Amino acid sequence: KQWYQRRVAITAGIDEAEKLPEGTLNAISPYLDKNVAIDEVDYRNTIFVFLSNTAGNAIRNYTETQLEAGRQREDIAVLEMENLIQEHLYNSGELKHSSLISRYQLDAFIPMLPLEKRHVQQCAEEQLKQRRNKCGCGDDPSCISTRANEIANQIDYSGRFSRSGCKKISTKANLVCPLDRKSEL
């Protein structure tokens, strides 16, 4: 029991990490080192997830360039994007002065590629399937697709990409077809 208590296995998430006051992320640095223990507690099994839009424009521009060159979004490799993100973080990102970056303590960079209208429509379809009886669509895929397209058309786009991804889809779907909260429980 004592052995288990000294080995922490948690996941901590920090959204918009680039907006934290300078130096805040440096306080986490000792927990990301390969130290065996800090104050007799082993943090090596702890997972920190940092969400950041630091390389967002670089990701968007690269994705746009690749699509214009005829590649499919799904063919853009994670490692390809990881290199782009690393280059941005280490050279020009808001986090470049963080010891997490300068000490190479981050193990993986996972890109969130921008969503096109077809992806937003897929999100809307999934939301509407949960509400199908409230929308009068039942199991009719063409009805769900039509309503999903109406919702996707209400989302703001910058060029070919959604400005907010699928974040607003649930709210928009709820306006069209309210979700019965009792059926969710």
Side-chain angles (χ1 to χ4, degrees):
K1 182 179 177 180
Q2 191 177 34
W3 176 87
Y4 180 76
Q5 288 174 334
R6 292 185 178 179
R7 281 152 188 83
V8 178
I10 60 170
T11 302
I14 299 174
D15 195 4
E16 298 185 343
E18 76 279 4
K19 294 181 181 177
L20 291 172
E22 191 171 329
T24 303
L25 290 176
N26 294 342
I28 299 169
S29 186
Y31 302 97
L32 292 171
D33 266 341
K34 305 302 180 204
N35 298 322
V36 174
I38 297 173
D39 296 329
E40 298 182 28
V41 178
D42 187 347
Y43 288 93
R44 290 178 295 177
N45 293 326
T46 303
I47 298 171
F48 288 92
V49 178
F50 302 100
L51 300 177
S52 173
N53 197 32
T54 297
N57 287 334
I59 291 169
R60 178 188 179 84
N61 293 340
Y62 185 82
T63 303
E64 183 82 49
T65 301
Q66 296 305 304
L67 295 176
E68 287 173 358
R71 286 183 73 188
Q72 296 294 310
R73 180 182 181 273
E74 292 76 13
D75 294 334
I76 299 173
V78 172
L79 289 177
E80 184 178 351
M81 296 305 288
E82 185 177 48
N83 291 336
L84 176 80
I85 295 167
Q86 281 181 328
E87 183 180 316
H88 184 80
L89 283 175
Y90 293 129
N91 296 320
S92 61
E94 293 91 338
L95 302 175
K96 74 177 180 178
H97 298 295
S98 168
S99 63
L100 299 179
I101 301 299
S102 64
R103 295 175 69 188
Y104 298 92
Q105 291 179 299
L106 303 178
D107 294 327
F109 300 92
I110 301 169
M112 303 291 198
L113 296 184
L115 301 179
E116 297 174 273
K117 183 180 177 185
R118 66 187 171 100
H119 302 109
V120 174
Q121 182 161 347
Q122 289 170 354
C123 293
E125 287 175 5
E126 288 303 312
Q127 288 291 320
L128 292 175
K129 285 176 185 175
Q130 295 175 22
R131 299 165 169 81
R132 65 178 161 255
N133 294 331
K134 295 284 184 180
C135 293
C137 287
D139 291 322
D140 180 4
S142 66
C143 177
I144 291 172
S145 180
T146 299
R147 296 245 175 149
N149 189 49
E150 291 169 6
I151 292 171
N153 284 333
Q154 294 176 21
I155 300 299
D156 291 332
Y157 294 90
S158 175
R160 72 189 320 155
F161 301 121
S162 166
R163 290 184 190 271
S164 59
C166 287
K167 290 179 186 175
K168 298 180 180 182
I169 294 298
S170 180
T171 303
K172 299 279 187 190
N174 223 18
L175 293 173
V176 175
C177 311
L179 186 61
D180 181 6
R181 293 286 175 197
K182 292 177 188 172
S183 67
E184 275 188 339
L185 302 176

